[in-house]
Amino acid sequence: MAASSPGAVAVVGGTGPMGRGLAARWAAAGVRVWLGSRSLVRAEDCAAELMATLPPGSAPIVGMGNQQAVDAADLVVMAVPYAALGSQLAELTGLDGSKVLVSTAVPMEFEDGMPTAIHPPEGSAAQRVQAACPGARVVGALHTVAAGQLLRLQRPLDEDVLICGDDRPACDQVAALVAEIPGLRPVLAGGLASAAACEGITPLLLTLNRIHRARTGVRITGI
């Protein structure tokens, strides 16, 4: 039986572009969002701004401190850049087996304006999160969905989302949540060992966007 989508999701680092885009899409689809930030005032202001853009009948977006958002939900999405991942995780508590923790971070840097992959010693950003939170049920996902595309609610999405993790029920929960966003199809992509390959697609997509002046995504054929 397919997992059902959670009634609410926490988005840590929710005031950044990725966090705002995911929050808006999920709320528009009827999923309550606890929007976390290091600054409660900033989180509340961002939540109010997003709510003003949503269609009637959308679920609420509630601004909270990051720790409050984590405490309020069983499924937590880390929508922070790779460079800020370590310090953000160090500030949070309660990331144990009761939580599904989604890593969206992509290890990369820019050289002369071009994206270049970084290779973490743990193997991937998702594996770094698992090492930092050994009790949490870590899932890597949403690496290839552009924040700018998510924020344009009037623009339809049409791409696949690769999902990897060692806990199958947790992956199924994340897949159900991803499927709530129209135009996104979740595709299970193996264990956390697959995370490096999934994360590594993003620098390539950014390079393609620059070369072809396009907005690229991922589509897996044959399944």
Side-chain angles (χ1 to χ4, degrees):
M1 181 179 294
S4 60
S5 175
V9 58
V11 181
V12 171
T15 58
M18 187 68 172
R20 295 200 312 272
L22 289 171
R25 292 281 181 167
W26 275 321
V31 179
R32 289 174 295 159
V33 179
W34 311 140
L35 188 80
S37 173
R38 285 174 168 162
S39 166
L40 176 59
V41 172
R42 187 178 179 190
E44 292 175 336
D45 288 347
C46 183
E49 291 171 6
L50 289 173
M51 287 300 299
T53 69
L54 297 180
S58 297
I61 301 174
V62 180
M64 299 179 173
N66 279 330
Q67 185 63 60
Q68 185 184 8
V70 167
D71 292 341
D74 292 331
L75 197 154
V76 179
V77 176
M78 299 292 297
V80 297
Y82 178 74
L85 193 59
S87 60
Q88 188 68 84
L89 287 169
E91 294 178 4
L92 301 175
T93 62
L95 295 173
D96 54 23
S98 67
K99 305 290 183 183
V100 175
L101 184 57
V102 182
S103 171
T104 68
V106 174
M108 65 179 179
E109 60 188 5
F110 287 84
E111 297 178 1
D112 297 325
M114 296 298 290
T116 302
I118 298 173
H119 303 289
E122 298 86 354
S124 66
Q127 288 168 303
R128 180 181 179 187
V129 172
Q130 186 67 84
C133 307
R137 302 156 67 199
V138 175
V139 175
L142 294 159
H143 307 109
T144 58
V145 182
Q149 297 290 84
L150 289 169
L151 282 165
R152 296 179 175 90
L153 290 179
Q154 73 283 1
R155 188 185 296 277
L157 301 172
D158 182 26
E159 56 189 283
D160 291 339
V161 173
L162 300 175
I163 296 172
C164 53
D166 296 331
D167 186 309
R168 179 57 186 268
C171 289
D172 288 342
Q173 280 186 261
V174 175
L177 181 63
V178 167
E180 291 285 354
I181 300 177
L184 294 186
R185 183 182 69 147
V187 177
L188 298 180
L192 276 186
S194 298
C198 295
E199 295 166 5
I201 297 172
T202 300
L204 173 61
L205 294 180
L206 293 174
T207 300
L208 291 172
N209 290 346
R210 180 165 178 171
I211 293 172
H212 300 283
R213 298 180 182 178
R215 299 181 180 91
T216 56
V218 169
R219 176 66 76 196
I220 306 298
T221 62
I223 55 175

